[in-house]
Amino acid sequence: MDRRHAVKWAAAAVVAAMAGGAAAQTGSIKVGFMLPYTGTYAALGTAIENGFRLYVGEQGGTLGGQKIEFVRVDDESDPSKATDNVNKLIKRDQVDVVVGTVHSGVAMAMAKVARDSGALLIVPNAGADAVTGPMCAPNIFRTSFSNWQPGYAMGEVMAKRGHKTAVTITWKYAAGDESVNGFKESFTKGGGKIVKDLTVPFPTVEFQSLLTEIASLKPDAVYTFFAGGGAVKFVKDYAAAGLGKSIPLYGAGFLTDGTLEAQGDAAQGLLTTLHYADGLDNPRDKAFRLGYAKAYKLQPDVYAVQGYDAAQLLGVGLAAVKGDKGKRDAMYAAMAKARIDSPRGAFTLSKSHNPVQNIYLRKVEGKVNQVQSVAIKALADPGRGCRM
Ligand code: BEZ
């Protein structure tokens, strides 16, 4: 770290210690969830919170010997409200840690506030490459993925399957752009050619004219990033347009995670890449799935796993300082070198605090994303632009 950054972080740590003062007197840790509880990503926010609460519940409601309290803000996946929302948690509610969010644009605004204030931020979904790239910081951690990771893995898979040309289609915002960039990087390296990049504004679900265009472009295959309610609509529209039979559809695994009940027949056989899958044969996953189903009467998805692991990571940090949240340097050091025993398989963090993890190739079979193989083992995001 250069001197300018060292001074900045020291000042931020003082501000953060002062901000944490109120909760310290109560002997508890205040967790502020900033997640979407409305809109196309609402189910994702709920699954993350469920996963986080499940882990805390399994620890008897404490982490590092401290009682965990919760407050929450609905960020509506709206970047224009993000700075105000995160400041509500940090300044008004005086939380000790912010856990959020799903949408990459919102997460980038949160990361900026975390960098400036020194507040601890754990990102349990949003893949914005910048969060563990140029915006990386000692107090910012991610337990999910970078947008680059599943995209890069799928580019390799599709090139190896012999596809020579592809059209990409996604929402026009950081997550879509970066997922497609990751895909293109490895697909073109493997000899593939991009015929056209198609986009719709987030969170639009009017796909008809673009599906007509895909039909006339006749690529070997299509790569896509959509998630939540948008993914449900896209997969159904793709099948209804009759494209599924002639132009195979692939995607980052968000396309079919937490969505299969609603997608039904339209999703059958789809291949996707993600850091979680159904049918992983590990005891940690089996126990997690049982616990989740018992607590919520629902099957967990990737978002629930990421929330669960955000709580595990916080637990590692608090245990290292025996619950003394004032010892931020020691807490962050323990979190940075944590090995998280995740339902997805154990992972560590890269230098820029992003999971180094297996990316699985999955196939939709009935109501599950059945694991086919490990597409890339222990894939680390390049962390381009991170100086820490
Ligand atoms: C994102 O905006 O980073 C994102 C949203 C939903 C699923 C995956 C990524």
Side-chain angles (χ1 to χ4, degrees):
M1 201 189 302
D2 61 28
R3 194 172 171 281
R4 194 170 52 86
H5 278 84
V7 170
K8 194 170 162 201
W9 293 122
V14 171
V15 173
M18 287 164 66
Q25 285 158 16
T26 69
S28 63
I29 303 289
K30 220 187 221 191
V31 172
F33 289 121
M34 181 162 153
L35 292 166
Y37 296 106
T38 52
T40 198
Y41 287 160
L44 288 57
T46 301
I48 289 168
E49 181 173 341
N50 286 349
F52 195 103
R53 284 180 180 271
L54 179 65
Y55 182 74
V56 174
E58 287 171 358
Q59 311 310 306
T62 66
L63 295 177
Q66 296 275 31
K67 187 168 170 298
I68 304 298
E69 291 172 19
F70 299 101
V71 289
R72 70 211 290 258
V73 160
D74 178 6
D75 70 34
E76 302 166 53
S77 295
D78 185 346
S80 74
K81 297 181 182 163
T83 303
D84 281 352
N85 279 332
V86 72
N87 276 325
K88 267 184 216 158
L89 290 174
I90 294 171
K91 295 190 179 145
R92 183 193 67 191
D93 300 331
Q94 303 221 327
V95 301
D96 297 299
V97 49
V98 177
V99 175
T101 188
V102 168
H103 183 286
S104 276
V106 177
M108 283 193 280
M110 295 172 76
K112 181 172 185 326
V113 173
R115 276 174 71 88
D116 292 346
S117 67
L120 173 57
L121 171 64
I122 303 180
V123 180
N125 183 71
D129 292 345
V131 167
T132 53
M135 304 184 87
C136 75
N139 56 314
I140 299 177
F141 295 85
R142 180 152 58 195
T143 58
S144 49
F145 59 92
S146 73
N147 289 321
W148 178 88
Q149 283 176 308
Y152 185 86
M154 186 45 100
E156 268 198 19
V157 168
M158 285 171 61
K160 279 186 195 148
R161 287 173 69 82
H163 297 305
K164 298 286 179 229
T165 58
V167 165
T168 69
I169 178 165
T170 187
W171 275 315
K172 184 77 204 145
Y173 83 105
D177 291 343
E178 293 170 357
S179 181
V180 162
N181 286 342
F183 163 72
K184 284 183 186 176
E185 191 179 323
S186 55
F187 186 63
T188 53
K189 215 190 284 172
K193 229 181 100 195
I194 305 299
V195 176
K196 192 153 188 189
D197 295 317
L198 302 172
T199 60
V200 286
F202 177 87
T204 304
V205 290
E206 298 312 321
F207 302 122
Q208 216 46 56
S209 63
L210 297 184
L211 293 174
T212 307
E213 195 173 347
I214 290 172
S216 70
L217 287 167
K218 295 190 178 53
D220 286 356
V222 168
Y223 173 79
T224 190
F225 166 90
F226 288 108
V232 171
K233 173 87 168 30
F234 183 76
V235 165
K236 286 181 135 181
D237 285 4
Y238 197 89
L243 289 174
K245 291 186 188 75
S246 49
I247 307 173
L249 176 65
Y250 298 85
F254 314 104
L255 188 68
T256 55
D257 227 85
T259 54
L260 291 176
E261 203 71 52
Q263 287 164 334
D265 286 350
Q268 292 313 302
L270 290 182
L271 290 172
T272 62
T273 42
L274 203 62
H275 47 287
Y276 188 56
D278 292 297
L280 296 179
D281 193 17
N282 78 61
R284 191 76 176 104
D285 189 43
K286 284 187 182 139
F288 164 75
R289 295 179 80 97
L290 264 178
Y292 194 92
K294 203 166 150 207
Y296 304 110
K297 314 285 173 261
L298 282 173
Q299 288 305 311
D301 54 21
V302 68
Y303 309 105
V305 171
Q306 294 167 169
Y308 189 80
D309 292 342
Q312 291 209 66
L313 182 64
L314 179 63
V316 168
L318 286 169
V321 295
K322 299 194 170 49
D324 182 351
K325 62 195 176 190
K327 294 188 175 158
R328 285 181 175 255
D329 288 350
M331 190 171 154
Y332 299 163
M335 290 168 73
K337 61 179 188 346
R339 180 180 182 278
I340 300 296
D341 187 12
S342 170
R344 74 188 87 168
F347 70 85
T348 54
L349 296 179
S350 64
K351 249 184 82 187
S352 59
H353 299 171
N354 189 67
V356 178
Q357 56 193 343
N358 291 345
I359 306 292
Y360 303 104
L361 175 64
R362 312 112 46 86
K363 183 177 184 183
V364 176
E365 291 174 358
K367 296 280 169 59
V368 301
N369 286 288
Q370 188 63 30
V371 64
Q372 304 297 299
S373 61
V374 176
I376 304 186
K377 201 168 159 39
L379 182 63
D381 179 86
R384 292 171 185 130
C386 171
R387 286 168 58 234
M388 183 161 57

